[in-house]
Amino acid sequence: MRGLTGEGSARTRGSIQAVSAALAVPTALALLVSGCGAGGTGARDEGPAHADSVAGAAATPSAAPSKSPDTVDAVKLVKDDPKVAPEVKRDLKPCAADEYPVDVSYGKLTAGSADDVVVNVLTCGDAVGVGSYVYRERDGSYENVFKAEEPPVYAEIDRGDLVVTKQVYDRGDPVSSPSGENVITYRWTSGHFAEKYRTHNDYGKVAVDSATPAPAS
């Protein structure tokens, strides 16, 4: 009886272990599914986060097109300006048809609400600058806040500064070949342009011998 009982107990223990093993598989699967569901919140959170980023990108407005500055009649501005020398006004005539020798630039120089206007008056023949002027908008009109009338001269806007270049001639230099230049940088300070920097550049002169030696025979 003890042998039968022991054999039966062994078979019983084997059956229980087999049943336990069989039950363990679906239990493990259930836990795995449950675990994925619980641990999957990160994946579900990632979805809305991605959607938010896409929505945010879609909601970002496109850059507004750059606004062109209001152009001015530079010739009229110069001719009506009492600060401009009479000889500059007198010589300011069309070079061809209605094309006047003026260069006009717009930009921020005086911290005003509107762009400032830089006007360079040139000669028709060789485009030598005879006058450079800066006009600042005030109450709907423009006032002259800078002038340089010692030719040859040319004014430009450089990163918020006014840069004036004056070419230098030595005795005997042709108009087309100055000896150098003075470059003066002005900055708007306390309601006027004040000189900040000045540099001088000498142009190199290379003598070219027009006589070519005859090749040796």
Side-chain angles (χ1 to χ4, degrees):
M1 292 296 294
R2 286 195 299 269
L4 292 175
T5 302
E7 183 180 353
S9 299
R11 286 199 297 268
T12 301
R13 287 196 297 271
S15 299
I16 292 173
Q17 290 173 355
V19 172
S20 298
L23 292 175
V25 173
T27 303
L29 290 174
L31 290 174
L32 178 61
V33 172
S34 176
C36 289
T41 54
R44 288 199 300 272
D45 291 343
E46 184 180 355
H50 178 68
D52 291 344
S53 63
V54 173
T60 302
S62 58
S66 300
K67 180 183 177 182
S68 300
D70 295 331
T71 58
V72 300
D73 187 340
V75 174
K76 178 175 174 55
L77 206 59
V78 170
K79 286 185 173 291
D80 292 347
D81 186 357
K83 294 183 178 181
V84 175
E87 55 270 24
V88 174
K89 295 181 181 180
R90 183 181 62 248
D91 295 338
L92 182 52
K93 300 175 182 179
C95 297
D98 58 349
E99 296 295 328
Y100 284 85
V102 293
D103 287 346
V104 187
S105 301
Y106 303 86
K108 296 295 185 182
L109 285 172
T110 66
S113 58
D115 282 341
D116 301 299
V117 183
V118 177
V119 180
N120 286 287
V121 179
L122 314 172
T123 60
C124 285
D126 42 25
V128 173
V130 296
S132 298
Y133 311 94
V134 177
Y135 293 94
R136 185 174 192 260
E137 193 275 335
R138 184 176 182 180
D139 298 330
S141 60
Y142 288 90
E143 62 174 342
N144 186 326
V145 292
F146 178 89
K147 71 173 183 177
E149 296 178 325
E150 303 81 21
V153 63
Y154 199 88
E156 300 174 280
I157 300 173
D158 184 9
R159 293 170 292 183
D161 289 335
L162 176 66
V163 179
V164 178
T165 301
K166 297 181 179 180
Q167 292 180 323
V168 178
Y169 291 86
D170 286 340
R171 185 182 299 275
D173 285 344
V175 173
S176 60
S177 300
S179 296
E181 65 181 11
N182 292 322
V183 181
I184 310 167
T185 300
Y186 296 90
R187 187 167 297 164
W188 185 257
T189 306
S190 301
H192 69 282
F193 283 103
E195 181 178 329
K196 291 298 180 183
Y197 313 104
R198 178 185 290 257
T199 60
H200 175 79
N201 301 315
D202 283 326
Y203 299 153
K205 292 185 180 295
V206 179
V208 179
D209 188 358
S210 59
T212 304
S217 56

